[in-house]
Amino acid sequence: MQNIIIYLRAGDVAATVVDEYNQTAKTTPSITRGMRANLCLRLIDAEGNPIPAQNLDYVGWDFVLANDWNTSTDPQIRVQTGITVSSVTVGDKTFSQITIPLTETNTTQLVEALGSSASVKLGAELAGFESGESDPGFLIQFDVNVRNRRGTAGTGTPEPVGDGTYSAVQIDVLLDTKADADHTHDYSGNFAAIDHNHDGVYAPLEHTHEDLSSAPLPVMLKIPTDSDDDALHLQLELSENPDFSDPVESINTSVAQTNVELFDGAEWIAFPSAGAGTPYYGFRVGITLSNAAAGQKYYLRYRWYDGTDYTDWTSVIYPAFSL
């Protein structure tokens, strides 16, 4: 199995991901759904000194990855057996290494958390227990990214298509079955007579288009990219007032996805409840307004949310805007 090595500054419960020189890491460590791997944690103290293996002499361990703090719900991944502690020498330093075997990373709970997103950030927690104790004597917490898979067991097999050209035999059959030169096309009742007019087909020269449409134009927005590959949600407000007081429309897809659709490159689908992940970056979102009046001028603003941070508001005049 692949060994995923993570250095952690474990000066307190909230551990910090660092490198072997105690420099804070700029990226979150990642694992992949459905791939077996060993998570190898190498611990150092607040001053950057390796924590000796004898300081981690616990009789039991419990490791979880979860997307919430609710202990009544099942975590996405849990390991309680096979966790070992050893010593590893790197250069002139000897680190304690806690090895956690991740042999079941394709759980139902993880699949639901990922949905169609490229990845999801989960909270990791490792607890160590002394003999006869039910509460841990050691506890660290840190974040781990879990990347999704494009193909796993049960994924269908693509259907091949032909090259779109006719063979010589097919061409001969088409020529043999062509129509005779001497024939007629009796389309009685299907076409108009030679002498005819279009009276009643077109509108009078003087006319109006009143009451043809009472529905406001839909709002079309482009899904941005996120530096952490997080799934994105949209927040949108529409108001007659420049300060956006008393909005006539208020949409937040992290709460509800009603009247919000997404183009996935082939068709329009309902906006995913888990958010628009990396497969949808650059595609369009369409919002059908239910309370706005057609032809009315409104002030519109929107922003995106990655589960942690919001972008700045972008504001335009509706319906006279281009995005």
Side-chain angles (χ1 to χ4, degrees), residues 118-299:
S119 64
V120 65
K121 184 180 293 184
L122 301 180
E125 182 174 283
L126 176 65
F129 297 86
E130 294 136 334
S131 178
E133 297 292 339
S134 59
D135 292 325
F138 173 86
L139 185 69
I140 54 173
Q141 297 172 336
F142 56 99
D143 289 335
V144 173
N145 274 334
V146 182
R147 295 197 59 80
N148 211 343
R149 293 279 304 279
R150 291 184 172 90
T152 57
T155 304
T157 301
E159 180 180 350
V161 298
D163 59 9
T165 59
Y166 285 109
S167 66
V169 174
Q170 290 173 310
I171 294 174
D172 289 340
V173 171
L174 290 173
L175 292 175
D176 288 342
T177 57
K178 69 183 187 301
D180 295 333
D182 185 12
H183 68 283
T184 62
H185 292 258
D186 185 5
Y187 292 129
S188 301
N190 292 328
F191 292 92
I194 294 178
D195 295 327
H196 69 281
N197 60 56
H198 293 159
D199 293 345
V201 176
Y202 300 105
L205 183 62
E206 295 183 2
H207 66 282
T208 67
H209 291 162
E210 293 179 357
D211 299 326
L212 288 182
S213 176
S214 60
L217 293 173
V219 177
M220 303 293 292
L221 301 175
K222 184 177 180 180
I223 302 173
T225 59
D226 181 76
S227 59
D228 295 325
D229 293 338
D230 290 328
L232 300 176
H233 279 286
L234 172 67
Q235 183 179 5
L236 180 146
E237 293 180 347
L238 191 75
S239 174
E240 297 181 21
N241 305 311
D243 61 355
F244 296 96
S245 58
D246 300 322
V248 297
E249 304 275 357
S250 184
I251 293 172
N252 188 338
T253 61
S254 66
V255 177
Q257 300 81 43
T258 306
N259 296 333
V260 184
E261 297 176 290
L262 179 151
F263 183 68
D264 66 0
E267 61 181 342
W268 286 92
I269 62 174
F271 192 91
S273 60
T278 53
Y280 305 122
Y281 289 176
F283 288 114
R284 295 281 177 175
V285 168
I287 302 97
T288 301
L289 302 177
S290 57
N291 299 319
Q296 173 70 39
K297 173 185 173 181
Y298 293 100
Y299 297 93

Side-chain angles (χ1 to χ4, degrees), residues 5 17 32 44 88-89 100 146 157 162 181 235 238 240 262 320-321:
I5 299 172
V17 179
T32 303
I44 61 177
V88 177
T89 300
I100 305 168
V146 182
T157 301
Q235 183 179 5
L238 191 75
E240 297 181 21
L262 179 151
F321 68 92

